[in-house]
């Protein structure tokens, strides 16, 4: 194609038969590493057609070009992606969260400095860029990147008044032991895939020797934090969540947990059709399920919280399950989590959808008297 970029872009008006040739033309430039050409083409496309994107195919083409620029490693390509409104020019959904995840997956840490440089653009663009930065920090943490070595990120965090009050600022810049190796989804040109399963963890179920003589009594701790990781599920017509904290007047023996669980006054346990199955597990397994539930579990992808906010919600649930105060620092949460004994459970009642998105969690405190319960059920059907 010998035409100028303007001629090529103008020629797209009403020409569906032209799209294949244009995509091949752009792919050839991409194969040569000529992302500067892709940036120029995308900017011309946005200038010519981008007000409202009345043509879905042209919008798709713009996003395709921006994806190719964003996912080609290199500092210059990060700058080009930002010039193409990465995370800022969309409406609806949570584009800055997706943009942060994509950058963290495809770009080396050293290339990401431009994201954290002050942006002189419009107010909305500046606000979105701040959210992109906040999310990017924790998308990188989730992938094990040493974010504190990125001097631009450190300088931004020290100077930004928005970051000082941002909810994500509470989280540490390194993974806690109970986070293990988070199963973050993988993004590709056509969408995303990944996550972890729910249901029972692997392991030998407790034998169960009847109910404990120490009958727990509900003590009404803060349920919103207990259910932070699955709160979005309850907004869907087919999702249900329930959580409570109980205190027994004596230690709860492990083998008595199935029987004790069966006696608790919870909707998710009403009308049991089988004895509860309770499996000892690690805090890491619990956190992985909570993170999956919060980040990409349930609902339409436009409703996903994605990695950074999924991490925050999973931490909030773990903290509450472990008995940490809502304003406790992360170090205290880690200690509390390590002091608890963790279990997964499964029961069968009318409350549960009994699809692959069911899971139940028990956290037994260090004195074996405080028992926190979290149950969630949904299905991936809308």
């Amino acid at each position: 194609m010998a035409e100028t970029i303007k001629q090529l872009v103008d020629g797209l008006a009403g020409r569906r038969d032209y799209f294949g040739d244009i995509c091949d033309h752009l792919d050839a430039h991409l194969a040569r590493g000529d992302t500067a050409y892709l940036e120029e083409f995308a900017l011309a496309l946005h200038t010519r057609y981008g007000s409202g994107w009345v043509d879905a195919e042209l919008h798709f083409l713009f996003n395709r070009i921006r994806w190719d620029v964003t996912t080609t490693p290199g500092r210059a390509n990060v700058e080009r992606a930002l010039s193409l409104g990465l995370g800022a020019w969309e409406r609806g959904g949570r584009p800055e969260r997706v943009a942060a995840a994509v950058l963290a997956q495809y770009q080396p840490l050293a290339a990401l400095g431009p994201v954290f440089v002050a942006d002189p653009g419009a107010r909305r663009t500046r606000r979105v860029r701040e959210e992109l930065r906040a999310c990017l920090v924790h998308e990188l943490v989730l992938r094990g990147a040493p974010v504190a070595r990125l001097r631009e990120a450190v300088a931004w965090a020290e100077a930004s008044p928005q970051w000082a009050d941002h909810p994500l600022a509470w989280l540490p810049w390194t993974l806690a032991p109970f986070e293990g190796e988070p199963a973050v989804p993988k993004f590709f040109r056509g969408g995303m895939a990944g996550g972890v399963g729910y249901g029972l963890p692997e392991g030998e179920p407790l034998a169960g020797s009847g109910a404990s003589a120490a009958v727990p009594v509900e003590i009404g701790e803060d349920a919103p934090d207990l259910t932070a990781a699955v709160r979005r599920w309850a907004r869907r017509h087919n999702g249900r969540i329930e959580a409570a904290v109980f205190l027994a007047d004596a230690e709860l023996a492990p083998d008595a947990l199935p029987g004790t669980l069966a006696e608790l006054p919870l909707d998710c346990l009403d009308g049991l059709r089988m004895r509860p199955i309770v499996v000892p597990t690690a805090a890491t397994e619990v956190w992985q399920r909570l993170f999956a539930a919060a980040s990409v579990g349930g609902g339409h992808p436009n409703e996903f919280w994605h990695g950074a906010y999924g991490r925050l919600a999973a931490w909030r649930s773990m903290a509450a399950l472990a008995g940490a105060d809502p304003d406790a620092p992360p170090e205290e949460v880690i200690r509390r989590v390590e002091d608890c004994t963790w279990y997964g459970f499964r029961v069968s009642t009318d409350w549960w959808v009994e699809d692959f998105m069911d899971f139940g969690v028990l956290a037994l405190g260090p004195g074996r008297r405080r028992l926190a319960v979290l149950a969630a059920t949904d299905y991936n059907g809308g």
Side-chain angles (χ1 to χ4, degrees):
M1 292 184 174
E3 296 97 329
T4 65
I5 286 178
K6 183 178 185 308
Q7 289 171 327
L8 292 172
V9 169
D10 288 344
L12 285 167
R15 290 280 307 278
R16 297 296 175 269
D17 59 319
Y18 200 33
F19 270 68
D21 292 339
I22 289 292
C23 288
D24 290 344
H25 173 69
L26 294 170
D27 285 347
H29 279 273
L30 179 63
R32 295 195 294 270
D34 189 3
T35 51
Y37 182 88
L38 268 64
E39 177 192 19
E40 186 179 353
F41 193 102
L43 287 171
L45 190 67
H46 189 273
T47 300
R48 175 73 166 80
Y49 303 107
S51 180
W53 289 111
V54 294
D55 191 312
E57 289 190 346
L58 291 171
H59 193 195
F60 170 83
L61 180 61
F62 175 84
N63 285 334
R64 183 182 190 270
I65 299 170
R66 186 169 60 186
W67 169 272
D68 290 339
V69 171
T70 304
T71 57
T72 301
R75 187 181 182 95
N77 292 321
V78 172
E79 293 174 339
R80 292 184 179 112
L82 294 171
S83 81
L84 295 176
L86 183 66
W89 288 355
E90 293 84 353
R91 293 289 186 273
R94 296 179 170 94
E96 67 282 357
R97 302 187 188 186
V98 177
V102 171
L103 285 170
Q105 178 179 335
Y106 285 94
Q107 291 292 344
L109 182 65
L112 292 169
V115 176
F116 296 95
V117 175
D119 177 26
R123 179 181 299 178
R124 180 180 181 277
T125 301
R126 292 198 302 272
R127 178 185 60 78
V128 171
R129 188 69 61 80
E130 282 290 289
E131 187 66 9
L132 174 63
R133 292 164 182 146
C135 291
L136 179 56
V137 165
H138 293 292
E139 291 287 355
L140 288 166
V141 171
L142 286 164
R143 291 162 175 81
V147 190
R149 297 181 187 175
L150 185 62
R151 56 181 178 79
E152 293 94 340
V154 173
W156 162 76
E158 291 174 347
S160 170
Q162 290 84 3
W163 177 247
D165 296 325
H166 199 286
L168 293 175
W170 176 76
L171 289 168
W173 282 32
T174 56
L175 290 170
F178 64 72
E179 292 180 277
E181 296 181 4
V184 293
K186 302 295 184 183
F187 290 82
F188 48 93
R189 188 189 267 177
M192 58 168 283
V196 300
Y198 304 102
L200 276 176
E202 294 183 3
E204 187 69 25
L206 297 176
S209 57
S212 172
V215 179
V217 176
E218 187 171 356
I219 58 176
E221 292 186 15
D222 188 16
D225 274 355
L226 287 167
T227 59
V230 290
R231 192 173 304 147
R232 183 167 49 83
W233 291 24
R235 299 174 187 166
R236 290 156 43 79
H237 68 275
N238 48 355
R240 299 187 191 98
I241 61 175
E242 189 172 27
V245 178
F246 299 87
L247 188 65
D249 56 6
E251 288 189 10
L252 295 169
D255 282 349
L257 281 178
T260 300
L261 183 62
E263 299 298 323
L264 297 181
L266 294 173
D267 291 342
C268 66
L269 302 170
D270 186 35
L272 286 170
R273 291 190 284 265
M274 54 178 270
R275 184 177 181 81
I277 300 173
V278 180
V279 178
T281 190
T284 301
E285 293 292 323
V286 174
W287 187 87
Q288 290 279 2
R289 283 166 170 75
L290 293 173
F291 174 68
S295 58
V296 296
H300 189 274
N302 282 347
E303 301 169 354
F304 289 170
W305 285 348
H306 296 286
Y309 282 91
R311 184 184 186 218
L312 177 63
W315 265 77
R316 290 298 187 193
S317 282
M318 289 292 286
L321 286 165
D325 291 335
D327 58 352
E331 297 78 13
E332 172 68 10
V333 173
I334 293 171
R335 186 185 67 78
R336 291 272 189 163
V337 168
E338 291 174 345
D339 286 345
C340 287
T341 307
W342 298 87
Y343 303 88
F345 75 87
R346 184 175 70 200
V347 298
S348 178
T349 72
D350 290 341
W351 187 90
W352 299 83
V353 176
E354 298 190 346
D355 195 24
F356 75 97
M357 291 180 68
D358 294 343
F359 72 97
V361 173
L362 303 176
L364 187 59
R368 308 200 67 83
R369 294 178 56 217
R370 180 188 180 276
L371 181 67
V373 183
L374 172 62
T377 185
D378 201 351
Y379 73 90
N380 199 26

